[in-house]
Amino acid sequence: MKELPIHIQLQPESGRTLYEQIYESIRDEIRSGHLLRNEKLPSARFLAEYLQISRTTVDMAYGQLAAEGYVEARPRRGYFVSAFEELYALDMPSRGEKPAPSDSAGKLSVRYDFSPNAIDMRFFPYATWKKITRNILVDANSRMFSLGEPQGDLQLRTTICRYLHGSRGVNCEPEQIIVGAGNDYLLLLLEKILGRHVHVAMENPTYARAYRIFRSCGYPVSLVPVDENGMQTEALRRTGAQIAYVMPSHQYPTGVAMPIGRRMELLRWASEKPERYLIEDDYDSEFRYRGKPLPSLQASDADGRVVYIGTFSKAIAPAIRISYMVLPYPLLARYRETCGFYSSTVSRIDQTILNEFIRDGYFERYLNKMRKRYREKHDLLLSELRPFEHDFGISGSSAGLHVILTDRRGRTEDELARLAASEDVKVYRMGDFRMKEGTGGAPDSGEPVGQTKEQAMLILGYGGLTVEEIREGAGRLAKAWKVGGGGFRNGYR
Amino acid sequence: MKELPIHIQLQPESGRTLYEQIYESIRDEIRSGHLLRNEKLPSARFLAEYLQISRTTVDMAYGQLAAEGYVEARPRRGYFVSAFEELYALDMPSRGEKPAPSDSAGKLSVRYDFSPNAIDMRFFPYATWKKITRNILVDANSRMFSLGEPQGDLQLRTTICRYLHGSRGVNCEPEQIIVGAGNDYLLLLLEKILGRHVHVAMENPTYARAYRIFRSCGYPVSLVPVDENGMQTEALRRTGAQIAYVMPSHQYPTGVAMPIGRRMELLRWASEKPERYLIEDDYDSEFRYRGKPLPSLQASDADGRVVYIGTFSKAIAPAIRISYMVLPYPLLARYRETCGFYSSTVSRIDQTILNEFIRDGYFERYLNKMRKRYREKHDLLLSELRPFEHDFGISGSSAGLHVILTDRRGRTEDELARLAASEDVKVYRMGDFRMKEGTGGAPDSGEPVGQTKEQAMLILGYGGLTVEEIREGAGRLAKAWKVGGGGFRNGYR
């Protein structure tokens, strides 16, 4: 019988399911490099026969590996080891390309993780949150435990409305707001509102999760290049898309802030045809370090063409599964007609806690405190990166919780990430946020993303690190990359 | 001194920074057209002297205006109003037609509402819930506020797994369970797993919300008549459907409990083709008054053809937005491949509270107490309905929180509901649970549901009423419907 290219030792006594054992064996083979990138895995049927186990068990293990990005399914050809250096994509956070491995399947933990998605919870007012919760549960009783309105409780929607108007210039009525358990859910709801046959355009690079969601909805997704002003309007026109998903305040991950001129071009594009809309993901507008936050794109929308989506996961805590979506009236009418009956995904208790947290000023105080903390980290990181300026361009630093380094010495992202890892530092490769033709299944008209070859770009998030960790991490990067020293990687090690 | 071309009224008392006031004044001058495009702004130095404020403050305001594209800096010449005609469209005019206010508008409240959905929260252990919450928030801290696993926290899934096995005979591993914020959400996720082109069959009458959700997914839905054993297998075969959505333990709303024979027929139907599955909605299996609850359909599924869906909304509280779905392995593999990246819709805090509520035995104690309460109401209602037995058949009373009255005097459901309303009592018409051809948009092959014409059926839920309300409500119904008296409605009033 043909030899199996993978070492799989099933241990019936281990107490772990066969599926887990197979998944882990193959994952370890990939990590250890015994399975090479682009290498084909044995067919599920072959492996099942070889191991004398059910085909489904193997399918499961392969599915899990695919979900975690170790392998990719190629239609009618089978599973292949993914072409990127997975070790560095492993715990790509929720805004990154890969989903969190379920059941925390063996993550590599890195000492200095410059994750662009991590936030700092050290200063969260747990006591306040607890106090509010306690008070609510006191006079809670049935009312609080009953099912709320599908769109979310009116008080919370009113509070969000005021907050958005004051901080983001969003113009809306509470009736336009839909509260939901996370952006992913709101996008699923939006799919029901927009219908099944929608052509979406996204910036590239972009927020990979939203890309994958649109793909899982079966939408064709066109990828539009980003220049220093954001999504290129002419390229958008060429796609023939009807929906454009944009992050105008602070494009993720490039950090580009879209000026009013480009915004007006996009709004004009949307107004040209009845079914065109812009989805504005305003994911981290709370944090800006020069002047006050740019107003939202929705604030300039005279024609009801912008769907505004925001979340409290970043400004408060990832566990606060409360996001909101502001629908223009035409879409609100369709929402009520086609899916107004979907019951709310957020408990009234959680809605009430959040409402009081904002209403009583705790949210604002916390935001101000965090702006200060993040600004300190931001300034520290930039000063620590000063020695890097000879070898790297530094950009995207006006807002948000990450900066971009652009290599000037012709090194690749993989190379730089690997060098960083050798110093126990994790940085994120722009390439992982550049969507590629065909990713996620449905075909797309994604233009070649170009420029990746020439310029390696790395994302350094500082939200979750302490000042000490930022200082130490930057120091290790300087060593790993021999910044300023002009050393050659060949001389390294 | 030269006159200032801009109207700037600084209000030291306004609590807003000088920088903000200058920024806003100039922005408004531009928006309102008082400053024309390409018009030069006064130099920062001049404005600072004029207003007697620091030069830096003015620079910041100009910088902000430039950042937002209202003005542009021209080297060595100063700041000029940008040349976008759209700038004047910035202010917010009409946003199109407002839709009609949502359905919730103008509901009549009725004194005695026999709603089949209402539950009794009077005995909910709020104190316990509060205590658990308090303890969790004590040692909560970051971990608790971080984003959990997409499928739900492993501890909770393990607890649910044990509970389902013990109480419902469900056979599964925690890895097969997906926790989500309500059944509606889980059905949306299931759509992503099953794909876009699925033909669903449902019992008729059925749970209208699930019907509408399948319709909003664009699925054709066939309606299959229910006999005393539940969904008719032969009729199901004729539909050509691939998915059958059933409520075997206590069909909603008919109350029919599916015997093992019919269950086996359905399982056989599913096993005949690879893509066939049964969705078992086990919505209220907790409450049963004769013997112990029937095991779930999933418990008899040897072939991995049953998707089991349950919720805590009914057994604990509607506000507890936590439902769960048990996927057979083939679908679990597909879930991980196609939508394993969707982040959880339930906060870890809520998951942890629920987990401890169940794990520490509070849930079981509460269930036992509620079974007792509901049984009392159930028995009381049935005894109060004894006088009705001449005019009505009474059925569906072996489980759940409602009973069915079937009229024997040829009156219509509308008529009986109207008579009840005249006594301030609300009963529910079976007709409202009978889906009809074309409801919800997409075409369906729903067979004519027949029999509605002949027999008026009314649903009386008692979960939410007190014993007094049940007694009084039943008395008023007897009066409204002249039960036993054999009176004719013509003679009424």
Side-chain angles (χ1 to χ4, degrees):
Chain A
M1 182 175 191
K2 167 178 152 201
E3 188 39 58
L4 190 68
I6 316 172
H7 171 74
I8 298 181
Q9 189 68 56
L10 297 181
Q11 294 151 321
E13 305 313 320
S14 71
R16 271 147 58 258
T17 64
L18 286 172
Y19 136 74
E20 282 175 309
Q21 297 183 50
I22 294 168
Y23 156 79
E24 279 160 16
S25 310
I26 298 178
R27 186 197 61 201
D28 297 343
E29 292 283 282
I30 293 173
R31 282 188 184 167
S32 61
H34 291 127
L35 277 170
L36 304 172
R37 19 177 118 169
N38 292 316
E39 183 169 350
K40 186 179 186 309
L41 297 189
S43 76
R45 190 170 45 71
F46 172 79
L47 187 58
E49 282 166 8
Y50 185 93
L51 297 171
Q52 294 298 300
I53 58 176
S54 106
R55 164 72 186 268
T56 315
T57 306
V58 179
D59 287 338
M60 278 258 320
Y62 280 13
Q64 173 76 23
L65 288 161
E68 294 180 12
Y70 289 101
V71 304
E72 52 197 38
R74 297 182 189 168
R76 289 179 310 285
R77 299 192 44 214
Y79 285 92
F80 292 76
V81 177
S82 296
F84 351 100
E85 182 51 76
E86 286 307 333
L87 285 181
Y88 300 107
L90 245 191
D91 32 24
M92 181 65 65
S94 60
R95 266 197 175 262
E97 183 168 22
K98 301 295 179 292
S102 60
D103 299 22
S104 61
K107 285 189 190 177
L108 293 184
S109 83
V110 181
R111 180 119 177 254
Y112 303 95
D113 185 349
F114 283 91
S115 165
N117 193 53
I119 66 170
D120 191 343
M121 290 294 294
R122 292 179 195 81
F123 306 98
F124 185 77
Y126 295 104
T128 304
W129 196 266
K130 201 175 123 192
K131 190 190 76 195
I132 295 174
T133 307
R134 191 166 53 238
N135 297 341
I136 284 169
L137 289 179
V138 168
D139 47 62
N141 307 339
S142 308
R143 191 182 61 74
M144 195 57 53
F145 283 79
S146 65
L147 187 58
E149 299 167 36
Q151 285 186 236
D153 288 357
L154 183 59
Q155 297 95 314
L156 177 59
R157 284 185 284 124
T158 307
T159 302
I160 290 175
C161 209
R162 282 208 204 88
Y163 164 68
L164 289 181
H165 187 73
S167 71
R168 309 291 304 124
V170 170
N171 294 292
C172 68
E173 300 295 327
E175 68 185 2
Q176 292 174 264
I177 295 181
I178 295 169
V179 171
N183 290 25
D184 297 5
Y185 171 72
L186 289 176
L187 287 177
L188 284 183
L189 206 52
L190 195 54
E191 178 207 4
K192 295 282 164 284
I193 298 169
L194 295 173
R196 293 178 118 192
H197 305 292
V198 174
H199 179 171
V200 177
M202 298 183 80
E203 298 151 329
N204 199 24
T206 189
Y207 175 31
R209 174 182 296 278
Y211 176 84
R212 299 187 66 179
I213 290 172
F214 289 133
R215 284 313 192 71
S216 77
C217 294
Y219 289 166
V221 178
S222 295
L223 300 168
V224 179
V226 174
D227 62 23
E228 68 282 2
N229 292 333
M231 179 181 268
Q232 294 178 9
T233 318
E234 280 319 308
L236 167 61
R237 279 182 196 290
R238 286 195 301 273
T239 64
Q242 138 194 13
I243 302 290
Y245 177 97
V246 291
M247 296 170 273
S249 302
H250 186 235
Q251 204 274 339
Y252 191 85
T254 63
V256 167
M258 189 183 292
I260 191 75
R262 181 66 56 90
R263 292 173 183 226
M264 287 304 159
E265 286 173 27
L266 287 179
L267 288 168
R268 204 183 313 114
W269 168 83
S271 300
E272 283 165 4
K273 294 204 176 155
E275 276 307 296
R276 283 184 182 170
Y277 290 98
L278 294 156
I279 301 173
E280 174 178 24
D281 180 353
D282 206 20
Y283 68 101
D284 77 347
S285 53
E286 294 84 2
F287 305 115
R288 180 172 168 81
Y289 310 108
R290 302 202 190 86
K292 61 175 201 176
L294 294 165
S296 64
L297 175 63
Q298 198 269 7
S300 309
D301 173 26
D303 194 30
R305 296 314 187 112
V306 174
V307 175
Y308 179 90
I309 295 182
T311 178
F312 290 104
S313 300
K314 210 155 184 95
I316 296 184
I320 309 301
R321 306 303 298 144
I322 305 187
S323 295
Y324 45 85
M325 173 164 70
V326 180
L327 291 176
Y329 279 109
L331 293 184
L332 179 60
R334 219 181 299 165
Y335 158 79
R336 291 192 170 151
E337 193 180 315
T338 64
C339 47
F341 59 87
Y342 279 94
S343 47
S344 173
T345 46
V346 186
S347 84
R348 299 191 72 180
I349 298 170
D350 295 353
Q351 292 186 54
T352 310
I353 294 170
L354 177 60
N355 182 55
E356 302 199 356
F357 188 74
I358 301 173
R359 190 199 59 200
D360 299 348
Y362 298 111
F363 181 50
E364 189 174 0
R365 251 167 281 157
Y366 179 58
L367 268 187
N368 290 330
K369 172 185 278 177
M370 292 318 293
R371 284 199 186 97
K372 189 163 172 304
R373 302 290 177 188
Y374 287 137
R375 171 189 295 281
E376 286 162 7
K377 298 182 184 189
H378 165 271
D379 296 348
L380 171 67
L381 179 59
L382 288 184
S383 72
E384 294 294 323
L385 289 180
R386 217 157 279 133
F388 292 60
E389 286 170 358
H390 174 272
D391 296 350
F392 295 90
I394 297 171
S395 59
S397 67
S398 68
L401 302 178
H402 66 272
V403 300
I404 310 292
L405 297 192
T406 305
D407 174 78
R408 295 198 179 109
R409 282 169 49 192
R411 293 176 290 188
T412 69
E413 292 175 1
D414 284 357
E415 199 177 335
L416 290 163
R418 199 160 40 244
L419 288 170
S422 69
E423 289 288 339
D424 213 5
V425 178
K426 182 170 181 186
V427 296
Y428 292 76
R429 298 163 306 172
M430 184 64 78
D432 289 330
F433 297 85
R434 289 202 171 89
M435 301 302 108
K436 290 160 201 72
E437 179 93 20
T439 313
D444 70 16
S445 65
E447 8 254 293
V449 187
Q451 133 197 21
T452 30
K453 290 93 210 152
E454 299 75 36
Q455 290 190 289
M457 300 177 91
L458 297 163
I459 301 160
L460 270 64
Y462 47 85
L465 299 175
T466 64
V467 287
E468 295 72 21
E469 288 167 335
I470 291 172
R471 196 174 284 113
E472 173 68 14
R476 287 171 172 243
L477 281 179
K479 180 161 171 250
W481 295 340
K482 298 190 168 305
V483 295
F488 296 103
R489 65 183 169 85
N490 305 350
Y492 188 73
R493 281 213 184 103
Chain B
M1 184 178 182
K2 162 179 156 202
E3 186 40 56
L4 188 70
I6 315 171
H7 171 74
I8 297 181
Q9 189 71 56
L10 296 182
Q11 293 153 323
E13 306 313 319
S14 72
R16 270 147 58 256
T17 65
L18 286 171
Y19 138 73
E20 279 178 310
Q21 296 183 51
I22 294 168
Y23 156 80
E24 279 160 16
S25 309
I26 298 178
R27 184 197 60 197
D28 296 344
E29 292 284 283
I30 293 174
R31 284 183 172 181
S32 63
H34 291 126
L35 276 171
L36 302 174
R37 57 182 93 158
N38 292 316
E39 183 169 352
K40 185 179 186 306
L41 296 189
S43 77
R45 189 172 45 70
F46 172 79
L47 186 58
E49 283 166 6
Y50 185 94
L51 296 173
Q52 294 299 298
I53 58 176
S54 105
R55 164 75 188 264
T56 327
T57 307
V58 179
D59 286 336
M60 273 184 66
Y62 279 15
Q64 177 74 25
L65 288 162
E68 294 180 15
Y70 289 102
V71 303
E72 53 198 39
R74 297 179 187 171
R76 292 178 309 283
R77 296 188 47 210
Y79 286 93
F80 291 76
V81 178
S82 299
F84 304 109
E85 62 283 357
E86 294 88 348
L87 278 179
Y88 305 108
L90 274 175
D91 279 326
M92 302 321 311
S94 67
R95 294 183 162 239
E97 289 309 294
K98 288 196 176 192
S102 60
D103 329 338
S104 56
K107 277 184 186 164
L108 303 172
S109 86
V110 182
R111 179 121 178 252
Y112 303 94
D113 186 347
F114 284 91
S115 165
N117 295 318
I119 65 168
D120 190 343
M121 290 295 295
R122 293 179 197 79
F123 306 96
F124 185 76
Y126 295 104
T128 304
W129 196 265
K130 201 174 122 192
K131 191 190 75 197
I132 295 174
T133 307
R134 192 167 52 235
N135 297 341
I136 285 170
L137 289 179
V138 169
D139 47 59
N141 306 342
S142 306
R143 191 183 58 78
M144 197 56 52
F145 282 79
S146 66
L147 186 59
E149 298 163 23
Q151 285 186 233
D153 287 358
L154 183 58
Q155 297 92 316
L156 177 59
R157 285 185 284 125
T158 307
T159 302
I160 291 175
C161 209
R162 284 208 202 88
Y163 164 67
L164 289 180
H165 187 73
S167 71
R168 311 291 303 124
V170 171
N171 296 302
C172 68
E173 298 295 325
E175 68 191 10
Q176 292 174 266
I177 294 181
I178 295 170
V179 172
N183 289 25
D184 297 5
Y185 171 72
L186 290 176
L187 288 177
L188 284 182
L189 207 52
L190 195 54
E191 178 207 3
K192 294 282 164 282
I193 299 169
L194 295 173
R196 293 179 118 192
H197 304 292
V198 173
H199 179 171
V200 177
M202 297 183 80
E203 299 151 327
N204 199 21
T206 190
Y207 178 38
R209 174 183 296 278
Y211 177 83
R212 298 184 67 183
I213 290 172
F214 289 132
R215 284 317 190 72
S216 76
C217 294
Y219 288 167
V221 178
S222 296
L223 300 167
V224 179
V226 174
D227 62 23
E228 69 282 3
N229 292 333
M231 179 181 268
Q232 295 177 6
T233 320
E234 278 320 306
L236 168 60
R237 283 184 191 288
R238 285 195 300 272
T239 65
Q242 137 194 14
I243 302 290
Y245 177 97
V246 291
M247 294 169 274
S249 303
H250 185 236
Q251 205 273 340
Y252 188 82
T254 64
V256 168
M258 189 183 292
I260 190 70
R262 181 66 56 91
R263 293 174 183 227
M264 288 306 162
E265 287 174 25
L266 287 179
L267 288 168
R268 209 176 309 118
W269 167 84
S271 301
E272 284 164 5
K273 293 199 176 159
E275 276 307 297
R276 283 184 183 170
Y277 291 97
L278 294 156
I279 300 173
E280 174 177 25
D281 180 352
D282 206 20
Y283 69 102
D284 77 347
S285 54
E286 295 84 1
F287 305 114
R288 182 168 175 83
Y289 311 108
R290 301 200 190 85
K292 62 173 197 158
L294 293 166
S296 64
L297 177 62
Q298 199 268 6
S300 313
D301 174 26
D303 193 31
R305 297 315 186 113
V306 174
V307 175
Y308 179 91
I309 295 181
T311 177
F312 290 104
S313 300
K314 221 164 177 86
I316 296 184
I320 309 301
R321 306 303 297 143
I322 305 185
S323 296
Y324 45 87
M325 172 163 71
V326 180
L327 292 176
Y329 278 106
L331 293 185
L332 180 59
R334 218 180 299 166
Y335 159 79
R336 295 211 161 133
E337 199 176 326
T338 64
C339 47
F341 59 87
Y342 279 94
S343 49
S344 172
T345 47
V346 186
S347 84
R348 299 192 73 180
I349 298 171
D350 294 353
Q351 292 186 57
T352 310
I353 295 170
L354 177 59
N355 182 53
E356 301 199 357
F357 188 74
I358 301 173
R359 189 200 60 201
D360 299 348
Y362 298 111
F363 181 50
E364 188 173 2
R365 251 166 282 157
Y366 179 57
L367 269 187
N368 289 332
K369 172 187 275 179
M370 292 318 293
R371 286 201 184 97
K372 189 161 173 304
R373 301 291 175 187
Y374 287 138
R375 171 188 294 281
E376 286 164 8
K377 297 183 184 187
H378 164 271
D379 296 349
L380 171 66
L381 178 59
L382 287 184
S383 72
E384 293 293 323
L385 288 180
R386 217 156 280 130
F388 291 61
E389 286 170 356
H390 175 270
D391 296 350
F392 295 90
I394 298 171
S395 59
S397 67
S398 67
L401 302 178
H402 67 271
V403 301
I404 309 294
L405 298 192
T406 305
D407 173 80
R408 295 198 178 111
R409 282 168 50 188
R411 294 178 289 189
T412 68
E413 291 175 2
D414 286 354
E415 196 177 339
L416 291 162
R418 200 162 47 246
L419 289 170
S422 71
E423 289 288 339
D424 212 6
V425 178
K426 182 164 187 190
V427 296
Y428 292 76
R429 297 164 306 183
M430 184 65 77
D432 293 333
F433 297 84
R434 289 201 172 89
M435 301 302 111
K436 289 163 202 64
E437 181 93 20
T439 313
D444 70 16
S445 64
E447 7 255 293
V449 188
Q451 131 197 19
T452 29
K453 291 92 208 153
E454 299 75 34
Q455 291 190 288
M457 299 176 92
L458 298 162
I459 301 160
L460 272 62
Y462 49 86
L465 299 174
T466 64
V467 288
E468 296 71 22
E469 288 167 335
I470 290 174
R471 196 175 283 112
E472 173 67 14
R476 285 168 174 246
L477 280 179
K479 180 161 170 251
W481 294 340
K482 297 191 165 308
V483 295
F488 296 103
R489 66 182 168 84
N490 305 348
Y492 189 73
R493 282 213 185 104

